[in-house]
Amino acid sequence: MHFFDEGAGPPVLCLAGLTRNADDFAHVLPHLGEHRVIRLDARGRGRSERPADFTTYNVLREGHDAMELIDHLGLDRVAIIGTSRGGLVAMTLAASHRERLSAVVLNDIGPIVGVAGLARIMGYVGREPDLPDLAAGARALAEAEARSFPDVPPDRWAAEAAARWEETPEGLRNRYDPALHTALMQQSAAGALPDLWMFFEALREVPTGAIRGANSDILSAETLEEMQRRHPGLVSATVPDRGHVPFLDEPASLGVISRVIGGSA
């Protein structure tokens, strides 16, 4: 398991999305200068090794991994910024290890996952990009995400491409284990997801924030409204001109992070 451990101050553990890695938090890192920021590459993603057993690609096991890292670093309590899948991991930790969490920020994820967004994700997980290099990858991202992420500058898409893929002589390759697709298909065939509301409600005694992209197909406005009802102390914001997921350095995102965890907005 690979992780970055930078800075000093109250610890913040950053957990990335399903196929993503620690580089997703590079944009928010400069705004967390008063904190010790720990960014984890989950098993099989980024720089972490790929397990022999693909069935260990599940939220509960990844929650155990996060706790093992917290224990390895000798930390009593941490704040978590969880993007998408990382937010699901944070919710499971609230149910099992609430006393170890000082705060949680959920980035574009909630107890109900949008059907359209889930179908979109299932459609690309495990597929290698048919692109020659990172420059082509950046252009492809800009074109594909133009409606959900309007007016994003080219250098941001270049950073996003480098976070998602690596260049090889044969072209770009995903920075995650293709067996993740097999795990998802097997889990999908096993039946319905558990009721995630009970995991979210475990956060009621934890300072919690929720960030939603206004164009998200994963976290709906209705789900965010219900999250607010069930967690009256929830600090939330909807980020304009963002889909799934906000980059976390937008003013609205930083406002939530600052209020819940602290830092410079």
Side-chain angles (χ1 to χ4, degrees), residues 206-243:
V206 178
T208 305
I211 297 165
R212 174 180 175 267
N215 302 325
S216 175
D217 58 3
I218 291 290
L219 177 59
S220 70
E222 293 76 16
T223 297
L224 182 58
E225 183 179 349
E226 181 63 12
M227 291 165 66
Q228 191 76 66
R229 189 186 72 78
R230 298 195 190 204
H231 190 324
L234 183 72
V235 177
S236 66
T238 296
V239 186
D241 296 332
R242 294 290 183 266

Side-chain angles (χ1 to χ4, degrees), residues 29-235:
L29 188 61
H31 302 275
L32 295 171
E34 299 173 1
H35 297 270
R36 178 182 179 182
V37 183
I38 302 139
R39 297 179 289 145
L40 175 65
D41 280 348
R43 57 177 53 221
R45 285 82 149 187
R47 305 158 190 82
S48 289
E49 292 182 2
R50 299 176 177 184
D53 181 3
F54 71 83
T55 66
T56 62
Y57 291 131
N58 65 77
V59 170
L60 293 178
R61 176 63 255 183
E62 289 163 22
H64 288 308
D65 291 342
M67 282 308 308
E68 288 170 3
L69 175 59
I70 293 167
D71 289 339
H72 170 72
L73 295 174
L75 301 172
D76 293 329
R77 301 174 78 222
V78 299
I80 293 179
I81 300 176
T83 290
S84 197
R85 170 99 155 200
L88 297 180
V89 171
M91 285 191 273
T92 65
L93 291 180
S96 60
H97 297 85
R98 186 183 313 159
E99 74 284 355
R100 307 294 296 275
L101 304 181
S102 60
V104 169
V105 172
L106 305 173
N107 183 21
D108 211 59
I109 193 66
I112 296 177
V113 179
V115 174
L118 188 59
R120 176 178 56 79
I121 290 169
M122 294 292 284
Y124 72 72
V125 173
R127 294 176 56 188
E128 297 287 0
D130 185 17
L131 296 165
D133 53 33
L134 289 173
R139 291 192 296 270
L141 283 175
E143 181 177 349
E145 302 287 3
R147 293 184 64 181
S148 297
F149 290 82
D151 300 323
V152 173
D155 61 341
R156 177 57 57 93
W157 290 127
E160 285 292 297
R164 298 182 191 206
W165 303 306
E166 61 183 0
E167 288 186 341
T168 76
E170 293 76 36
L172 294 185
R173 291 293 178 266
N174 293 321
R175 295 183 59 202
Y176 64 86
D177 186 356
L180 190 58
H181 177 262
T182 308
L184 284 179
M185 295 301 292
Q186 185 179 88
Q187 291 159 19
S188 176
L193 291 171
D195 181 4
L196 298 178
W197 283 110
M198 66 179 183
F199 293 99
F200 173 75
E201 289 174 358
L203 288 167
R204 281 185 294 191
E205 298 176 17
V206 178
T208 305
I211 297 165
R212 174 180 175 267
N215 302 325
S216 175
D217 58 3
I218 291 290
L219 177 59
S220 70
E222 293 76 16
T223 297
L224 182 58
E225 183 179 349
E226 181 63 12
M227 291 165 66
Q228 191 76 66
R229 189 186 72 78
R230 298 195 190 204
H231 190 324
L234 183 72
V235 177

